[in-house]
Amino acid sequence: MTGRQVVFPENSATDTLTGAKCEANTFDGERCLYGALSDPIRRLLKEYKRITAKAMQRDYYDQFLQTLLEQGSYSDVTFMVHGEMFKAHRCILSARSEYFAHMLETKWKGKSAITLKHPLVNPAAFGAIMQYFYTGRLDIDVNYVEDCKRLAKQCKISELIEELEVKCKQVYEFGEEAVGYGQLPFDLTDSFPSYPDICFRVEGYDFLCHKAFFCGRSDYFKALLEDHFSEGETLQAHPSIPVITLHDVSHDLFSRILYYIYSDNTQLSHENVYEVLCVADMYLLPGLKRLCGRTLAVLLNEENVLHMWKTAKLFRLSRLEDQCTEYMAKIIERLVERPEFADMIREDAGNVAARQETDSIPLVDEIRFHIASNVQTYSAIEEANQKLSALELLLASIGLEC
């Protein structure tokens, strides 16, 4: 895999004022970092759009698939290629290759270990093809490209052959040493009709699924599947497949969870987004929560901004929370007249551990920041001062200083 990454050290920094640990991929970590920045740096980061939420989501999913390939968790088939072992999952191979789908149902049917002895099957090329099947990427030394093209032709992956030829041309023109190609491979759960090893029963509906995906994507399901089966129920038509009945979720909502787990996307609507968010939180699916957060942001308006901010705080959606405070800053002169807003500020002040009388209030700080952001003209300065004055008057009326 290529590309730049931000790597956090093992010994994380600590915000001594709040006690929050600055750890990667955590809510407290994000707030700790954000709180430590000066306003100019915050503004610069907000304007820097190179790394988007969508790109981060895709990276998480790609990392999951790469880990699934490397660790072989819950694999149900092993390939031996000239002494090298490759653990794999039938459901992925059959979904990605007509050739593998056919072979797994015919010559390789029922086999958990498959040995490939053909002298033209190169282990490095086979490993690269496996990488492509799982992650949609292929990174290989240029010396093995012809071996990869041969395997791709055997596996009937015509689009990969075409891309390899294009990439090879670029390699020879620019003197590179490796070929990289691909994009995320799974767009629809319809690609996974076979080789299930777990059944989830929801409101009488049976969902035939794969432990590798559910355990790899959710710590909730990992704990459930590794520490379960007290009921000992199995699927009548397939006695080898255990059945777990899930409560507190409708079959419609679970189908949306299913699509997300396999494809990293799902259909969200204004009507179901809150329900999906609650289930995503229960099933420990932070990526799905972020998807819900983006849908909720589209619905943001003056009437619901306070409720939306509370939702963002409750479910730790830092991006949505920031969007809410930015919206509050725009309408602050009307917002200060709403008793609910004053109650929110009091509550937020009360949540600051060991807060002194003049200590800052996070909600107020965020609103002030957005009011002051990008103020460049005289008229904008006047408008910002009016907004800040309205906020200060509210704080004075409820007996808070910060």
Side-chain angles (χ1 to χ4, degrees), residues 73-74 198 211 214-216 218-230 244:
S73 303
Y74 300 99
I198 188 67
K211 295 177 185 177
F214 275 78
C215 292
S218 163
D219 287 340
Y220 174 93
F221 284 106
K222 182 178 181 180
L224 181 68
L225 295 177
E226 291 182 352
D227 187 36
H228 201 262
F229 305 149
S230 58
I244 293 181

Side-chain angles (χ1 to χ4, degrees), residues 1 66 69 127-139:
M1 257 357 128
Q66 183 69 35
L69 172 64
I129 293 292
M130 288 293 108
Q131 181 195 25
Y132 173 73
F133 283 161
Y134 278 74
T135 69
R137 285 196 55 82
L138 186 147
D139 298 301

Side-chain angles (χ1 to χ4, degrees), residues 77-81 90 104 108-109 111-116:
V77 63
T78 301
F79 291 91
M80 291 296 297
V81 184
R90 297 171 190 268
L104 288 168
W108 298 340
K109 187 170 184 177
K111 293 185 177 180
S112 58
I114 299 166
T115 301
L116 302 180

Side-chain angles (χ1 to χ4, degrees), residues 11-235:
N11 296 323
S12 59
T14 300
D15 183 341
T16 56
L17 294 178
T18 64
K21 289 186 176 180
C22 181
E23 295 177 335
N25 302 324
T26 67
F27 176 79
D28 285 341
E30 291 181 9
R31 292 303 301 269
C32 183
L33 280 174
Y34 189 70
L37 303 177
S38 64
D39 283 356
I41 295 177
R42 292 188 194 186
R43 194 172 297 112
L44 180 64
L45 289 176
K46 284 174 67 62
E47 293 172 354
Y48 189 67
K49 304 297 184 182
R50 184 71 176 271
I51 300 176
T52 64
K54 183 64 178 177
M56 291 177 63
Q57 173 194 344
R58 179 165 170 162
D59 286 345
Y60 289 136
Y61 185 57
D62 195 31
Q63 183 181 11
F64 151 70
L65 291 169
Q66 183 69 35
T67 301
L68 192 63
L69 172 64
E70 292 174 352
Q71 297 183 357
S73 303
Y74 300 99
S75 66
D76 54 7
V77 63
T78 301
F79 291 91
M80 291 296 297
V81 184
H82 301 301
E84 293 194 29
M85 182 175 67
F86 299 87
K87 292 184 177 181
H89 304 81
R90 297 171 190 268
C91 65
I92 294 179
L93 299 183
S94 61
R96 296 284 281 139
S97 165
E98 294 180 12
Y99 171 79
F100 275 90
H102 173 72
M103 293 296 286
L104 288 168
E105 282 298 306
T106 55
K107 185 177 179 180
W108 298 340
K109 187 170 184 177
K111 293 185 177 180
S112 58
I114 299 166
T115 301
L116 302 180
K117 299 180 179 179
H118 198 287
L120 294 180
V121 180
N122 182 284
F126 186 83
I129 293 292
M130 288 293 108
Q131 181 195 25
Y132 173 73
F133 283 161
Y134 278 74
T135 69
R137 285 196 55 82
L138 186 147
D139 298 301
I140 191 170
D141 188 284
V142 69
N143 294 321
Y144 297 117
V145 167
E146 289 303 319
D147 294 313
C148 277
K149 288 169 63 176
R150 188 182 303 111
L151 277 177
K153 184 177 181 179
Q154 179 74 18
C155 299
K156 299 180 181 179
I157 318 174
S158 57
E159 72 277 7
L160 178 57
I161 299 173
E162 295 173 3
E163 286 292 334
L164 280 172
E165 291 174 349
V166 171
K167 292 296 181 180
C168 280
K169 185 178 178 181
Q170 295 174 354
V171 167
Y172 293 128
E173 288 178 354
F174 296 103
E176 299 173 6
E177 296 181 354
V179 176
Y181 161 69
Q183 58 184 343
L184 294 182
F186 306 116
D187 298 321
L188 296 172
T189 58
D190 299 342
S191 300
F192 295 86
S194 58
Y195 312 109
D197 55 9
I198 188 67
C199 173
F200 293 106
R201 184 164 292 163
V202 184
E203 293 185 331
Y205 291 84
D206 287 340
F207 295 85
L208 298 179
C209 303
H210 306 87
K211 295 177 185 177
F213 275 81
F214 275 78
C215 292
R217 299 282 275 152
S218 163
D219 287 340
Y220 174 93
F221 284 106
K222 182 178 181 180
L224 181 68
L225 295 177
E226 291 182 352
D227 187 36
H228 201 262
F229 305 149
S230 58
E231 298 174 346
E233 186 178 2
T234 59
L235 200 61

Side-chain angles (χ1 to χ4, degrees), residues 235-297:
L235 200 61
Q236 186 173 359
H238 303 278
S240 63
I241 300 178
V243 175
I244 293 181
T245 300
L246 298 178
H247 306 283
D248 302 322
V249 62
S250 68
H251 72 276
D252 178 68
L253 282 177
F254 186 75
S255 68
R256 299 180 193 281
I257 298 295
L258 184 77
Y259 268 78
Y260 170 76
I261 284 178
Y262 282 104
S263 69
D264 210 43
N265 206 347
T266 195
Q267 293 181 339
L268 296 173
S269 68
H270 299 170
E271 290 74 27
N272 69 25
V273 62
Y274 279 103
E275 291 182 299
V276 174
L277 177 59
C278 291
V279 175
D281 187 63
M282 177 176 67
Y283 287 158
L284 303 181
L285 294 166
L288 182 53
K289 287 170 60 177
R290 287 190 290 271
L291 280 180
C292 293
R294 289 205 291 274
T295 300
L296 288 172

